[in-house]
Amino acid sequence: MKDNFKLLNNVDMDLDKYEDLNIDKDKLKKKMRTQIKTKNKFKKNISVAASICIVGIGLSSVGVLNKSLAYNVPILGSMLQMIQNSLNNNDNLLDSYTEVNKSFSKDGLTVKIDKVVYSKNQIFMELELKTDVPFEESKYAKTIVYDPRESFADSLELVGRDWEFSINNKKMQNYTFAYPRFHYIDEYTLKGNMLIDFKPFIDESNEYDIFKMEFNLEAVDYDRETHEYNHIEDINGPWSLEFPVKSNISKTKTIRPKVTQDGITVQKVVLTQTSLNLNLSSKENIGLYAEVKDDQGNILSGAGLGMSSGDTYDGDYYLNNIGQDMKYITVLAYKENLNGSSELVTEIKINLK
């Protein structure tokens, strides 16, 4: 991209701690800085999973900026699998999913949406791809790339571009996602899923909200020596699908504790069946950010977007299981020192019952 916002020029992309990343970290950092498309401040070093998500999966209106990094996000893979397993096992999400069964065909490729789980800040979709000729013989063969990493149940990724999402005709601005992952059903058909995390932007939800997605595709070659994807050609659609999704906003619990300790105030906690959103404020601009522990002392992994203005923080976290019933959480608030190091300011216990 041509525009590199000075705001993010000094973001610390701390990738050295992720030793299993089989990539050139310096090259990745440089590439990431040239692809930033947002004017929002996204907090760094929130947690292992969160910082990967922020840097690798999305920076407001950007999809996966580097596929190699995205593959190293086990938490995202785990959440995908937890939702999928919940649907397959007639579990907690049964009253929250919509049978869509809607498809869009163009130029020999049909994209179908089967089931959708929708909450205030997440959309999970079961998808199907079908070609008129065997997929590997079609012009779309190179839009699917193979990665066997165990953190994802499916090993085939669809390389899309120009992704746009909207709800009730309002365009998403701050969201993260990894490209959809698939497996073959037969030589013409692939099935898979996709999870999008986003900052809530719908003030009022209906019984059914209207979700729309649109994208084009990209044919690529994977270089196993450099672990990079080389562009072959753009494949223009666009493929566009619009459909109603059942809202489970009624399953969302909002708590406004307004608890202040050591100059840090917990303004709001929002719980869905799969995630937790936390809003904090501080009396001073300290580069505020936070981690969250459940009532068993387990850290909740970052779900993608953590946004800080210095004296406020808005962070998202995945629950450790679907419908996790927590009596309380512990908020660990941190400040950022001038040398870039982090310092724990306080730990605040918030009752959820």
Side-chain angles (χ1 to χ4, degrees):
M1 299 299 172
K2 294 182 179 179
D3 296 323
N4 299 317
F5 295 105
K6 294 180 181 179
L7 169 63
L8 290 175
N9 280 348
N10 295 318
V11 168
D12 177 15
M13 298 178 187
D14 187 7
L15 302 178
D16 294 332
K17 66 181 78 173
Y18 312 121
E19 296 178 355
D20 64 328
L21 294 185
N22 193 11
I23 55 176
D24 183 333
K25 298 182 180 69
D26 292 333
K27 188 173 182 180
L28 171 59
K29 291 177 184 180
K30 182 178 180 181
K31 182 178 181 182
M32 298 297 292
R33 297 190 197 282
T34 64
Q35 297 190 55
I36 291 169
K37 293 175 68 175
T38 178
K39 293 183 181 179
N40 291 324
K41 280 190 177 181
F42 289 85
K43 192 58 197 165
K44 54 189 174 182
N45 294 337
I46 294 170
S47 69
V48 171
S51 57
I52 291 176
C53 288
I54 293 168
V55 175
I57 295 183
L59 286 168
S60 181
S61 305
V62 181
V64 178
L65 298 183
N66 183 286
K67 293 100 178 163
S68 298
L69 182 56
Y71 291 160
N72 286 274
V73 188
I75 298 303
L76 175 62
S78 297
M79 179 54 67
L80 281 167
Q81 292 174 48
M82 281 197 293
I83 295 175
Q84 185 72 66
N85 291 339
S86 183
L87 292 178
N88 293 341
N89 297 327
N90 297 322
D91 207 345
N92 295 329
L93 294 177
L94 267 184
D95 58 353
S96 300
Y97 81 81
T98 307
E99 291 273 8
V100 176
N101 295 323
K102 187 167 183 177
S103 60
F104 181 87
S105 299
K106 187 163 187 176
D107 210 8
L109 175 66
T110 297
V111 180
K112 181 184 177 184
I113 306 295
D114 291 326
K115 292 179 182 178
V116 174
V117 177
Y118 165 59
S119 64
K120 192 172 184 178
N121 61 345
Q122 269 185 346
I123 290 180
F124 168 88
M125 292 177 285
E126 288 186 345
L127 304 99
E128 178 182 290
L129 304 177
K130 196 175 189 69
T131 46
D132 294 344
V133 299
F135 197 91
E136 292 186 353
E137 299 175 12
S138 74
K139 73 176 187 178
Y140 304 104
K142 290 289 187 178
T143 65
I144 291 286
V145 294
Y146 174 73
D147 179 83
R149 201 169 298 271
E150 293 180 357
S151 56
F152 288 90
D154 293 330
S155 59
L156 302 174
E157 181 187 62
L158 179 69
V159 183
R161 61 182 180 85
D162 306 327
W163 295 88
E164 289 192 359
F165 308 103
S166 66
I167 300 175
N168 298 343
N169 292 319
K170 292 184 178 181
K171 186 177 178 180
M172 285 187 189
Q173 297 296 329
N174 299 319
Y175 61 88
T176 65
F177 68 101
Y179 289 152
R181 308 279 293 197
F182 290 90
H183 60 272
Y184 274 101
I185 299 299
D186 56 45
E187 60 181 335
Y188 298 88
T189 312
L190 297 93
K191 281 188 177 293
N193 52 48
M194 180 179 190
L195 178 66
I196 307 166
D197 291 290
F198 58 92
K199 288 297 182 186
F201 62 101
I202 301 296
D203 296 328
E204 295 183 2
S205 179
N206 306 300
E207 181 179 359
Y208 282 85
D209 288 333
I210 305 300
F211 178 71
K212 183 178 181 180
M213 63 183 294
E214 186 172 292
F215 61 93
N216 292 299
L217 295 173
E218 181 180 355
V220 298
D221 267 328
Y222 178 60
D223 189 322
R224 295 186 180 276
E225 292 186 2
T226 63
H227 305 288
E228 292 184 348
Y229 290 84
N230 302 314
H231 174 83
I232 298 176
E233 64 174 334
D234 292 333
I235 300 179
N236 294 320
W239 283 265
S240 180
L241 296 105
E242 184 173 353
F243 46 87
V245 289
K246 184 193 302 182
S247 171
N248 70 349
I249 299 292
S250 62
K251 298 282 186 178
T252 300
K253 181 179 182 179
T254 300
I255 301 167
R256 300 180 187 276
K258 300 291 180 70
V259 174
T260 300
Q261 184 173 299
D262 298 320
I264 306 298
T265 301
V266 179
Q267 300 285 357
K268 185 171 67 172
V269 177
V270 180
L271 281 165
T272 73
Q273 291 172 291
T274 56
S275 66
L276 179 147
N277 172 260
L278 175 69
N279 276 265
L280 300 179
S281 64
S282 62
K283 292 182 178 180
E284 300 177 356
N285 188 332
I286 60 172
L288 179 65
Y289 71 99
E291 290 183 320
V292 177
K293 290 183 180 179
D294 64 17
D295 54 6
Q296 302 300 311
N298 301 310
I299 291 284
L300 300 184
S301 300
L305 294 177
M307 296 172 29
S308 176
S309 64
D311 59 357
T312 64
Y313 175 70
D314 180 348
D316 296 310
Y317 307 83
Y318 287 135
L319 301 185
N320 289 319
N321 51 68
I322 302 296
Q324 183 176 0
D325 186 20
M326 297 179 289
K327 294 179 180 179
Y328 64 88
I329 58 172
T330 303
V331 176
L332 290 74
Y334 292 85
K335 69 177 182 179
E336 183 179 355
N337 295 318
L338 292 176
N339 63 3
S341 65
S342 299
E343 181 181 339
L344 179 65
V345 177
T346 191
E347 295 186 23
I348 307 174
K349 181 179 178 179
I350 302 296
N351 292 318
L352 302 180
K353 298 293 186 182

